[in-house]
Amino acid sequence: MARAAAAACGSCSWRCCGHTPATRSRPSAFGHRIPFGVIFGGTDVNEDANQAEKNTVMGRVLEEARFAVAFTESMKEMAQAQWKARQISLAVTSAVPVQPHAKGKIYVQSQGIATTPNAAFNWNTFLQRSEINQSADNLHIFLLICGLRQVKDPLYLVDAFSAWHQEEPNVYLVIVGPEVDPVFTREVKAKVKRAAGVQLIGEMPQEDLHAVVKNCFAVVNSSVSEGMSAAILEAMDLEVPVLARNIPGNAAVVKHEVTGLLFSNPQKTLTAYLEDTPRSLAMLCLQGEQRRAWRKLLKS
């Protein structure tokens, strides 16, 4: 019931306690007495909750859920604020006292990940598939892992990386992920086709993707909003540097210049962090304390 009811919100991240995407069908009915919990993924709270119809459906599901899980304190606070407002609205229009259905029900639990790189993965074959015809020994591959939809903003760094590639031909941005939004996917493909040094690869098996992460220079996240990025966590687990857009979901995971780099605009990412700041370059090489800090964060 939770899966079907939550489906109406259209979110790619609202999930039932069985960790099954709750986005494939319309709700059949509310009121069943089957106990369930929900997990906030990110897009649901950050984006979908701002749309009245989706907010209403998610609020109804939350009312009936035994518990809800948020990955960070900030996500929990956002969810409480969203559905506290709805509860107040219901209280004003209802003759029956309405209990705050989010209060005391949302628990914070960081997202868990496990990485399993394919030991037989051929990095040179991947480079050829990506149309990168250079020696692997001298490449700096920055990897952006995301489904092609607007909230992930995969085009945010394209111009900056393309300009950097013109100056340093061994620098590439490779975008990897499924075609989630067909209309936006066409826009991404058209933009990437014109951008030197930027390549677009389709969805990959998870073990192959983990192998790509392990071989790349750094993983990039440019999302407009995030709950807790699995790509960032997986890169950290594989001891690969992370450059992440400075948004609440990323800042909850990445401590700037300790466990990764946070950026607020494309030019600052490349010029200030990667070219002019020796400390940041050292961070990207993951020497000594930074490597241990990366691992410690994952275990905490």
Side-chain angles (χ1 to χ4, degrees):
M1 190 281 293
R3 239 187 347 261
C9 74
S11 166
C12 290
S13 55
W14 184 276
R15 298 174 183 271
C16 75
C17 58
H19 203 66
T20 303
T23 60
R24 306 304 179 207
S25 61
R26 299 293 295 183
S28 56
F30 289 92
H32 294 285
R33 296 187 178 275
I34 302 172
F36 67 91
V38 295
I39 301 173
F40 297 109
T43 302
D44 38 27
V45 177
N46 295 325
E47 306 294 331
D48 292 334
N50 297 320
Q51 301 179 38
E53 182 180 359
K54 296 178 180 181
N55 186 299
T56 299
V57 173
M58 288 190 286
R60 292 174 64 194
V61 174
L62 187 56
E63 286 178 15
E64 297 196 15
R66 294 285 184 89
F67 66 89
V69 175
F71 294 143
T72 63
E73 286 290 343
S74 61
M75 187 188 296
K76 174 182 176 179
E77 292 169 2
M78 288 182 65
Q80 287 178 328
Q82 282 284 355
W83 285 287
K84 180 180 179 181
R86 180 174 186 269
Q87 184 268 331
I88 292 173
S89 176
L90 289 172
V92 170
T93 59
S94 176
V96 180
V98 179
Q99 299 299 318
H101 56 270
K103 186 176 181 180
K105 186 180 287 189
I106 303 175
Y107 301 88
V108 176
Q109 175 62 58
S110 297
Q111 184 173 200
I113 55 96
T115 54
T116 54
N118 180 0
F121 185 80
N122 190 308
W123 178 241
N124 289 320
T125 300
F126 172 79
L127 294 177
Q128 292 174 3
R129 177 188 171 194
S130 304
E131 299 181 359
I132 298 174
N133 300 311
Q134 294 191 34
S135 170
D137 297 333
N138 193 39
L139 284 175
H140 287 163
I141 303 294
F142 291 80
L143 191 66
L144 173 57
I145 304 168
C146 67
L148 299 185
R149 52 192 179 113
Q150 290 185 342
V151 71
K152 298 300 181 181
D153 206 1
L155 297 180
Y156 186 68
L157 295 174
V158 165
D159 288 338
F161 265 101
S162 185
W164 192 16
H165 174 78
Q166 301 292 337
E167 298 178 7
E168 302 287 344
N170 63 333
V171 172
Y172 284 85
L173 174 65
V174 177
I175 304 170
V176 180
E179 300 179 1
V180 179
D181 180 335
V183 175
F184 185 63
T185 293
R186 289 196 292 271
E187 180 183 341
V188 172
K189 287 182 175 180
K191 178 77 173 182
V192 168
K193 188 175 182 179
R194 299 191 301 269
V198 181
Q199 303 296 334
L200 180 64
I201 302 295
E203 189 173 10
M204 300 178 64
Q206 187 177 56
E207 291 185 353
D208 288 353
L209 182 58
H210 289 166
V212 172
V213 171
K214 191 173 182 179
N215 280 279
C216 76
F217 186 67
V219 166
V220 179
N221 180 290
S222 58
S223 297
V224 173
S225 66
E226 284 281 2
M228 181 172 284
S229 169
I232 289 178
L233 297 179
E234 289 166 353
M236 288 180 169
D237 188 53
L238 293 167
E239 299 184 349
V240 172
V242 170
L243 288 78
R245 194 168 181 170
N246 193 1
I247 56 176
N250 289 343
V253 177
V254 178
K255 185 176 181 181
H256 181 56
E257 292 189 337
V258 176
T259 56
L261 303 177
L262 295 172
F263 61 87
S264 299
N265 64 71
Q267 298 307 323
K268 190 173 184 180
T269 306
L270 304 185
T271 57
Y273 289 167
L274 302 181
E275 295 175 0
D276 300 334
T277 309
R279 184 179 180 187
S280 295
L281 288 171
M283 174 63 220
L284 288 176
C285 293
L286 281 177
Q287 299 295 326
E289 291 298 322
Q290 283 85 1
R291 182 185 293 273
R292 287 192 287 274
W294 220 279
R295 301 292 298 179
K296 184 178 179 181
L297 178 71
L298 283 171
K299 294 177 181 178
S300 63

